[in-house]
């Protein structure tokens, strides 16, 4: 049996190891860019990215899971958009994986390019579903600021990939000197 002192030292050592590795990883600016991209993606889960108004004056809000009536009394989803939810979750998990692949830069660069492409596809899907929802409601629509979050996240991913490429080129140049 471990004594309480030994258990607390083990926990403290594990905590120090994780904190040290996290600080090593987070010191790279590209990790911060990727973290900002994930924060923007998580904001998509919480807030609507478009508002539609129908012919009869009804308002609808567009969330990642679908088009819902503006007032909570009616309830129900008018248009289900599970592909948006699925691709956003996939991108979120992919970017989280990319952050922790900092020791394997070539793979990290490739995965970042993939996430950039998926973010652009997500933006296109958002605008497509808003257009499709607008044809259902036969009214007008207005985009919220959150509809631009995937594009901003793609810019952050692009900035991160630039930093990763610079790191890789630096490592290659140091290897040539040896």
């Amino acid at each position: 049996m471990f004594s309480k002192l030994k258990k607390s030292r083990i926990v403290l050592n594990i905590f120090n190891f994780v904190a040290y590795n996290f600080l090593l990883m987070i010191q790279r600016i590209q990790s911060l860019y990727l973290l900002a991209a994930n924060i923007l993606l998580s904001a998509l889960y919480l807030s609507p990215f478009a508002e539609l108004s129908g012919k009869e004056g009804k308002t609808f809000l567009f969330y990642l899971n679908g088009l819902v009536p503006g007032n909570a009394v009616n309830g129900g989803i008018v248009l289900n958009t599970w592909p948006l939810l699925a691709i956003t979750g996939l991108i979120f998990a992919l970017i989280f994986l990319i952050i922790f692949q900092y020791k394997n830069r070539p793979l990290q660069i490739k995965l970042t390019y993939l996430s950039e492409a998926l973010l652009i596809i997500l933006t296109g899907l958002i605008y497509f579903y808003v257009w499709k929802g607008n044809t259902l409601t036969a009214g007008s629509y207005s985009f919220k600021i959150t509809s631009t979050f995937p594009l901003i996240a793609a810019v952050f991913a692009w900035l991160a990939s630039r930093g990763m490429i610079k790191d890789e080129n630096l490592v290659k140049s140091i290897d040539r000197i040896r």
Side-chain angles (χ1 to χ4, degrees):
M1 285 285 177
F2 288 119
S3 67
K4 280 190 168 187
L5 185 61
K6 285 185 180 181
K7 285 182 183 178
S8 64
R9 283 186 182 168
I10 291 172
V11 170
L12 187 61
N13 286 339
I14 292 171
F15 176 76
N16 285 338
F17 175 75
V18 170
Y20 176 74
N21 284 333
F22 182 74
L23 286 176
L24 278 178
M25 173 201 57
I26 212 68
Q27 286 177 351
R28 297 172 59 213
I29 190 70
Q30 49 269 37
S31 297
L32 294 176
Y33 288 142
L34 292 170
L35 187 63
N38 255 357
I39 289 171
L40 288 174
L41 283 177
S42 63
L44 276 177
Y45 284 105
L46 303 175
S47 58
F49 51 83
E51 182 177 335
L52 284 75
S53 56
K55 279 185 179 178
E56 298 106 24
K58 292 181 181 177
T59 60
F60 299 92
L61 295 174
F62 232 117
Y63 288 93
L64 277 180
N65 62 345
L67 182 65
V68 296
N71 54 357
V73 177
N74 293 347
I77 295 178
V78 177
L79 175 66
N80 195 355
T81 57
W82 65 267
L84 287 178
L85 195 61
I87 197 169
T88 305
L90 175 72
I91 296 168
F92 186 84
L94 181 65
I95 290 176
F96 191 73
L97 174 74
I98 292 169
I99 290 173
F100 290 103
Q101 290 292 320
Y102 61 93
K103 290 185 179 180
N104 190 354
R105 280 179 301 281
L107 176 65
Q108 193 179 31
I109 292 168
K110 290 175 188 173
L111 291 177
T112 305
Y113 287 151
L114 176 65
S115 70
E116 290 172 29
L118 288 174
L119 283 165
I120 292 171
I121 290 170
L122 176 65
T123 303
L125 279 175
I126 284 174
Y127 288 104
F128 169 74
Y129 276 113
V130 170
W131 172 77
K132 188 175 178 181
N134 189 39
T135 58
L136 287 176
T137 61
S140 63
Y141 60 90
S142 64
F143 288 103
K144 305 269 187 193
I145 191 72
T146 54
S147 65
T148 62
F149 283 0
L151 279 179
I152 297 169
V155 170
F156 280 135
W158 176 73
L159 289 170
S161 67
R162 276 187 41 200
M164 292 171 207
I165 291 170
K166 285 181 183 177
D167 282 354
E168 185 65 20
N169 289 339
L170 180 65
V171 168
K172 286 180 181 178
S173 70
I174 291 173
D175 285 345
R176 279 185 291 225
I177 293 173
R178 288 184 197 176

